[in-house]
Amino acid sequence: MPINDIGKFVGRYFQVLAWLSIASMVISPIFFDSLNFDFTFILLFWVAHHLIRHNATARNWTIGITGFYVALIILMLLYACLAGTESMRVTFGRRIIENPSFGQVATVAIALILLVGVPLGLLLTPKARREFGVVGGPPSAGEGSQACQ
């Protein structure tokens, strides 16, 4: 099933992440006796709003930030491969794993790459470039024949 409007889809994706962040802040003191306040939900709502409106600057910032996170996660995996995981600590929700196995590190890393990589991959598509008005995107099927006439 193709995505008709990538900006709106990615914007809604970030809105869901923002609401999940708020839900975790509400649930955390009730069930886990810990107060955890995280302001990233404000940034997520802001980015979502501007991506839904097809703001090219918001697209560029989102690509930069998510690309940076994906690069960091890949570097973390390379470090785990080369130096081992003895000095690492993995936090997954409320659970902290000291000296995790490579499988535990890889599982968390793959989950994070998927979470961050979905919007990154979608915003890098030629369709998203056209939606956001980025110059230099490949022409669609009908545009190429009209440009030659």
Side-chain angles (χ1 to χ4, degrees):
M1 179 173 108
I3 299 171
N4 294 330
D5 188 343
I6 292 174
K8 186 173 183 177
F9 179 84
V10 175
R12 297 289 184 222
Y13 183 89
F14 281 120
Q15 284 178 338
V16 168
L17 290 179
W19 283 112
L20 288 174
S21 177
I22 292 170
S24 74
M25 288 186 288
V26 170
I27 291 171
S28 190
I30 295 170
F31 292 106
F32 302 112
D33 292 330
S34 68
L35 183 60
N36 178 20
F37 196 75
D38 186 6
F39 288 104
T40 56
F41 73 92
I42 297 169
L43 177 65
L44 290 170
F45 277 127
W46 180 84
V47 167
H49 170 76
H50 287 286
L51 289 175
I52 290 170
R53 293 175 158 267
H54 295 96
N55 183 320
T57 304
R59 175 188 173 267
N60 292 336
W61 275 96
T62 304
I63 288 171
I65 292 170
T66 55
F68 178 72
Y69 278 125
V70 168
L72 279 179
I73 295 166
I74 290 170
L75 285 174
M76 179 191 68
L77 276 174
L78 285 174
Y79 177 83
C81 286
L82 299 174
T85 60
E86 292 82 30
S87 62
M88 295 181 95
R89 178 161 87 178
V90 174
T91 304
F92 196 70
R94 299 277 309 146
R95 187 172 179 205
I96 297 173
I97 304 169
E98 298 283 342
N99 303 321
S101 69
F102 181 76
Q104 291 169 322
V105 171
T107 300
V108 172
I110 289 170
L112 289 174
I113 284 177
L114 288 174
L115 186 72
V116 176
V118 167
L120 176 63
L122 288 172
L123 290 174
L124 289 173
T125 62
K127 182 177 180 182
R129 292 175 60 91
R130 286 190 303 273
E131 281 182 20
F132 284 86
V134 177
V135 179
S140 64
E143 291 176 14
S145 61
Q146 294 172 353
C148 295
Q149 295 176 357

